[in-house]
Every structure is written in structure tokens, then in C-alpha cells.
Amino acid sequence: MDLVLLEKALLGLFAAIVVAIAVSKLRGKRFRLPPGPLPVPVFGNWLQVGDDLNHRNLSALARRFGDILLLRMGQRNLVVVSSPAVARDVLHTQGVEFGSRTRNVVFDIFTGKGQDMVFTVYGEHWRKMRRIMTVPFFTNKVVQQYRTGWEDEAARVVADVKADPKAATEGIVLRRRLQLMMYNNMYRIMFDRRFESEEDPLFLRLKALNGERSRLAQSFEYNYGDFIPLLRPFLRGYLKICKEVKERRLQLFKDYFLEERKKLASTKPVDNAGLKCAIDHILDAEKKGEINEDNVLYIVENINVAAIETTLWSIEWGIAELVNHPDVQQKLRNELDTVLGPGVAVTEPDTQKLPYLQAVIKETLRLRMAIPLLVPHMNLHDAKLGGFDIPAESKILVNAWWLANNPDHWKKPEEFRPERFLEEEAKVEANGNDFRYLPFGVGRRSCPGIILALPILGITIGRLVQNFELLPPPGQKKLDTSEKGGQFSLHILKHSTIVAKPRMI
Ligand code: HEM
């Protein structure tokens, strides 16, 4: 069976080589393509550049080939954007033309072929989904409804860490507790639910399935089938696993959260005055026939992938930088003590009065950008960019990390120095008011979750610094801040063990 498949694939490969040479000759004449390394037939640049197109590798390529460069990954065209001016063109001026998302066989499985919002093409469906999700998730009213919940979750983290004798001596992996906090912050908004402990069986199942989904979607393992469609039949086993994980995960959302909420609503009607949680609004839209049952599930799926780990990685990076820069940590603590008074726990409205806290968060998001290449964009039709032709359905990667870390545009960008956002970069905000700094993107497909992420970061980091002196574990001068990932998301390679010594206030 597999031999027949192999024979077919080899024949197909030969045919593809001939076609690719012919097409590239024709295209070369017709198109003025962006520069890039010289592609070979069938594989394009894949064998030269490899699988790991992370933010640093792409920055190195930009230094060689310029602000708009083209990589051919098998049959896929990948355009890398590396300057603020071109980023403006892609995300703002030509926001509609470049406002779609790429698809592949694996994402098609996890999103039901684009029935979701985050990974769907630009158009009517996306517009409707984004509109329906805005009121329940992305307004200041939501922040006001849930901020005491986030403050409560942060207070519980502080209490749990204080109660753990290891925390002040050998140290603990703080991230584990913060992960529970982030799930609770988001599950309170979505379903008015929280998980009691890190050992809660439902939390463990959810975490495992979300982890599997991210691993499978972000793996390089299926690249060959994505880049060279003829090899796709060999992905059968991989895709089968993806389908199983997707089914189990959606079933879990359905059985344990959606059905529960529907049952509750039928016995105890939610009042319209504000006790509705996000899913009640989404179910209303389903009842009105605006979306179907699957869309509801994919909204839950999207929040699980887009909201929880992104914010958690940023908190984790922020804490690691504060441990490695005790002077910054102390300065932040002084600000909290001076502005709020010692022992007065920081709340969401306070975060506006704390410029140094804001600067620490901005600097963390600059140097350790959680989604360094944004979520890939795509042009549905042939387009123009900076005088070059961009073939339809190219994957467009905006290297936002490089925009924010290019020494031509930033003073000593490799340094973690929050002061820059109070001094020479005082006007730069995280909302995309400066095209050198786009941690949440900008324009039509920008992150709507910024309105929640920034206060959650402020409350969490603020409370930790108010309550603890955060230090590396005994015998270690600094935490290891080696990076992992970069192509989809950028996280710390090893979750740090951190000593949290309670302050005597
Ligand atoms: C520090 C935390 C976060 C960071 C750094 C972040 C970053 C991003 C980035 C870079 C994008 C892609 C922008 C683009 O493609 O141009 C994005 C998209 C998105 N984010 Fe976030 N995000 C964070 C938290 C959140 C939260 C808390 C939520 C939800 C509650 C959320 C929901 C979304 C959604 C729904 C999209 C897709 C928007 C679309 O395609 O129209 N994010 N985010």
C-alpha cells in the first residue's frame, strides 16, 4: 500500500519539478518578486533555511535581503516584513488586502476549516464573529465586571505562595500557580467558573488537551506535507491524531462547560443587569441564528489558545526579567509603596497611576514579545508591496520582534531598560501607535484581548512585587532566560524556579 503511495509520490515529484521550473520561468518574467535566497525546484528555499523560521533567524535574513523578502517553502510563498514602513502598509494601508490568515491541513482540522475567528480569512464570517465576541469579551465593561475577580485570583496566588514553605527557601516554579490563575481569569469571564487547585482533574484534562493542540498545530513535523502537497498522503497518521485531539477537546468544552451553563440558565434565568458571563451572550447569538453550534465551540477554542498562554508567557518573562534586574524590581516596589502606600494591594484602576509598572510591562512585551511574528497574515489575491509583486495566498510574516529590537531604531535594544518608555520612547504605547512597537499587532486583525491582557499583567506583576522579594534560587546569580520557539510564540526555555521571600510590611 505504502509502496504504491511512494511510487505515485515519486512520479508526482518528477512532474512537479518540471512544472515548477516552467512556472518559475513564466512567473519570473511576469512578476517582480521580492528578493530572497535562490530557490531550487520543488523544495524552494526549504533545505537552505530549514524549518525553524524564528524571529532571530528571520531578522538575520532581513539584514541580508532587506525589509521585504520572499522565501519559497516548497510550493508555499512566505513573505517576511521587517520595517515599520512596510508593516504599516501590510497592517494599515492595505489592511483589507493582507487581512486574511493562511490555512493548512492541520489548522483546517482545529478550526473546522475556518469556522472560528482567529484563523479565518478576512470577510463576512470574520466580521460577524469579531462583532459577536466584542461585547462579551473585549470592552471596558468586561474589565470592570471581572477586575475584582482578577484581583481575587492574584490575592490567592500571593496567599498560596506565602503558605508554601519552599517558596522562601529553595524556591518554586511560580509559573505553575500562575497558570491556574490565568485559566481562572479567563474561565470566570467565559463560564463564570474557576478551578480550585492545580490538581483539579478537570483543569488537568483541559490543560493537557490545550497543550496537545498547541504542540500539534505548531510542530514542524508536518511541514513536508504542507510545503509539498504531493507528500500530503504521508501525513495521514499525523492528521488522525489531530482529529482525535480536536474531537476530545471540543467534546470536553461541550460536556463540562457549555451544557452545564445551558442547564444553569434553564433553571435560574440570568438577569440582564450584568450577571451574564461571556458564553451567555454567545449562546444568545446562536439562538438568534447569527452563528451555529460549531461556531460557539470554536469561540471557546479560540479563547483557550489566544488568551491564556500568551498572557502567562508575558507574566513569566516579566518576572524573570525582574529577578535578573533587582534594581528595576526595587524601583517598581518603591513606586508601588509610594503611590499606593505600603501594604495597599494594587487594583486595576491603580495601574493607571503607576507609570513605572506600565514601563516594566511595555519593556517585557518589547524584548520578550509573546507572538513575535504576529499571527501570520495572508493576501487572498495577487498584491503589491513596496514595489514588489506578492503572489496570491502568500503567508505574510511581520517580524514585530525585529521592529522592536532593531538597533537602527532603538537605543541598545538588547538591554532590559523600562526607563526607555519614560524617556526617549515615552510616547510609545502597546496599542500600535508606533509601527516600531506592535506586541499586539495593529489594524483589523490586531489583538482585541489587549484590553484584558494589560490590566491582568499589571495586577499580577504588581501584587507579586508588592508582596515578595523575587530572587533566583540559592547558588544561582541569575535565571536562565534562554528562549524557546519564536515562529509561533516565544517562551522561556526552562520554567524558572524562583525564590519568593515575603516582605515584612
Ligand atoms: C500578553 C498577552 C497577549 C498578546 C501578546 C497577544 C498578542 C496577539 C497578537 C500579536 C495577535 C495577532 C495580531 C495580528 O495578526 O496582526 C493576536 C490576535 C488575537 N488575540 Fe491576542 N494577545 C494577548 C492576549 C490575548 C487575550 C487575553 C485574548 C482574549 C481574551 C486575545 C485574543 C486574541 C484574538 C481573538 C486574536 C485574533 C484577532 C483576529 O484575528 O481578528 N489575546 N494577539
Side-chain angles (χ1 to χ4, degrees):
M1 170 75 177
D2 270 353
L3 268 180
V4 177
L5 213 58
L6 188 70
E7 196 182 278
K8 273 190 186 164
L10 285 175
L11 263 173
L13 208 64
F14 177 72
I17 293 177
V18 176
V19 174
I21 294 172
V23 168
S24 79
K25 288 233 157 103
L26 277 174
R27 287 205 142 178
K29 277 193 192 131
R30 210 153 52 82
F31 277 144
R32 187 176 169 239
L33 296 171
L38 205 64
V40 299
V42 181
F43 297 102
N45 305 117
W46 184 22
L47 304 179
Q48 294 150 277
V49 295
D51 281 316
D52 193 6
L53 299 176
N54 69 46
H55 56 300
R56 291 186 192 271
N57 293 342
L58 294 186
S59 306
L61 283 171
R63 281 192 294 263
R64 261 179 76 196
F65 295 103
D67 297 341
I68 309 176
L69 69 95
L70 176 73
L71 297 175
R72 304 254 204 163
M73 306 301 279
Q75 291 200 3
R76 298 241 184 219
N77 288 313
L78 199 148
V79 174
V80 185
V81 168
S82 307
S83 79
V86 186
R88 176 193 292 275
D89 204 357
V90 166
L91 302 172
H92 176 71
T93 319
Q94 299 199 67
V96 171
E97 288 82 347
F98 290 102
S100 283
R101 302 281 193 212
T102 42
R103 293 246 291 261
N104 66 41
V105 274
V106 171
F107 276 79
D108 272 355
I109 291 173
F110 287 119
T111 65
K113 296 208 166 115
Q115 290 194 64
D116 68 326
M117 189 270 249
V118 181
F119 302 102
T120 199
V121 292
Y122 184 80
E124 263 320 301
H125 172 73
W126 168 80
R127 226 188 315 276
K128 183 173 66 183
M129 291 287 271
R130 189 143 168 157
R131 175 176 55 74
I132 288 169
M133 286 173 78
T134 297
V135 168
F137 289 106
F138 307 127
T139 63
N140 193 41
K141 198 170 161 215
V142 177
V143 175
Q144 294 318 313
Q145 188 177 341
Y146 289 98
R147 66 132 174 129
T148 48
W150 305 335
E151 289 155 16
D152 170 52
E153 291 299 334
R156 289 174 193 250
V157 171
V158 168
D160 283 356
V161 174
K162 280 186 180 164
D164 186 343
K166 270 196 200 160
T169 52
E170 64 201 80
I172 53 168
V173 180
L174 200 49
R175 166 193 225 266
R176 293 205 188 114
R177 183 60 187 82
L178 291 168
Q179 188 178 37
L180 174 66
M181 180 201 79
M182 264 321 291
Y183 269 85
N184 283 344
N185 283 347
M186 293 317 302
Y187 271 70
R188 277 180 156 197
I189 300 180
M190 258 194 296
F191 297 107
D192 196 18
R193 289 271 296 269
R194 65 182 303 279
F195 306 97
E196 210 42 61
S197 80
E198 285 170 59
E199 282 76 44
D200 183 321
L202 186 55
F203 170 63
L204 289 172
R205 277 176 70 190
L206 196 57
K207 210 170 67 160
L209 282 169
N210 278 343
E212 261 306 88
R213 183 259 184 241
S214 294
R215 191 188 65 73
L216 288 164
Q218 301 186 5
S219 167
F220 302 141
E221 250 180 83
Y222 68 87
N223 274 357
Y224 68 91
D226 183 27
F227 298 162
I228 303 173
L230 275 165
L231 299 180
R232 209 160 282 164
F234 293 100
L235 281 181
R236 220 177 286 156
Y238 193 87
L239 299 183
K240 190 164 166 270
I241 299 172
C242 293
K243 280 185 195 138
E244 281 164 10
V245 168
K246 173 247 174 99
E247 290 302 329
R248 277 196 287 139
R249 190 162 160 263
L250 294 193
Q251 202 61 46
L252 185 83
F253 294 150
K254 199 170 165 185
D255 294 349
Y256 288 86
F257 298 98
L258 279 165
E259 292 303 326
E260 287 289 305
R261 190 71 200 168
K262 280 188 197 165
K263 250 191 259 161
L264 201 72
S266 65
T267 53
K268 198 177 78 178
V270 281
D271 82 54
N272 276 330
L275 289 178
K276 275 182 164 184
C277 63
I279 212 66
D280 299 331
H281 292 273
I282 306 292
L283 290 170
D284 281 353
E286 186 197 342
K287 266 194 223 133
K288 283 192 220 150
E290 293 183 284
I291 48 172
N292 62 31
E293 196 184 344
D294 283 344
N295 300 140
V296 175
L297 276 172
Y298 287 113
I299 288 176
V300 177
E301 124 78 29
N302 275 180
I303 295 294
N304 272 271
V305 283
I308 297 173
E309 293 292 331
T310 42
T311 315
L312 183 62
W313 295 320
S314 307
I315 297 173
E316 198 178 8
W317 277 122
I319 293 169
E321 292 296 355
L322 288 173
V323 170
N324 284 352
H325 298 88
D327 48 335
V328 175
Q329 190 184 145
Q330 190 51 46
K331 199 165 161 183
L332 175 56
R333 193 171 291 120
N334 290 345
E335 179 183 74
L336 289 156
D337 285 355
T338 315
V339 175
L340 305 179
V344 180
V346 57
T347 62
E348 183 274 329
D350 297 330
T351 57
Q352 307 303 322
K353 298 184 271 179
L354 298 161
Y356 198 65
L357 175 63
Q358 301 284 353
V360 166
I361 292 168
K362 283 185 192 170
E363 182 68 342
T364 303
L365 295 171
R366 183 192 67 79
L367 188 61
R368 308 298 194 171
M369 208 172 271
I371 320 274
L373 307 176
L374 308 185
V375 178
H377 285 236
M378 189 256 275
N379 52 315
L380 275 172
H381 309 289
D382 287 344
K384 289 253 183 211
L385 199 58
F388 296 110
D389 290 302
I390 309 296
E393 301 195 9
S394 295
K395 183 177 190 169
I396 316 287
L397 298 179
V398 176
N399 192 346
W401 180 85
W402 178 237
L403 304 184
N405 285 272
N406 181 345
D408 291 343
H409 299 303
W410 297 80
K411 210 163 109 186
K412 295 195 180 154
E414 68 291 351
E415 280 180 11
F416 181 81
R417 186 173 59 86
E419 284 74 8
R420 75 175 79 242
F421 285 105
L422 302 173
E423 295 164 12
E424 75 270 20
E425 309 293 357
K427 292 208 175 78
V428 179
E429 298 294 341
N431 64 7
N433 71 341
D434 185 318
F435 280 84
R436 293 172 304 147
Y437 184 61
L438 305 172
F440 295 93
V442 70
R444 291 167 178 75
R445 299 307 291 255
S446 68
C447 177
I450 183 174
I451 194 164
L452 315 181
L454 291 178
I456 291 175
L457 276 161
I459 293 165
T460 311
I461 292 176
R463 293 272 176 127
L464 287 170
V465 170
Q466 277 185 312
N467 284 281
F468 303 102
E469 197 182 338
L470 302 163
L471 302 159
Q476 233 173 282
K477 276 212 175 82
K478 282 204 182 266
L479 298 179
D480 177 358
T481 52
S482 307
E483 297 172 343
K484 185 176 173 206
Q487 186 162 334
F488 297 91
S489 57
L490 176 63
H491 20 121
I492 200 160
L493 178 64
K494 291 185 208 125
H495 300 313
S496 323
T497 297
I498 289 165
V499 171
K501 273 200 184 147
R503 283 177 72 207
M504 303 300 163
I505 312 171

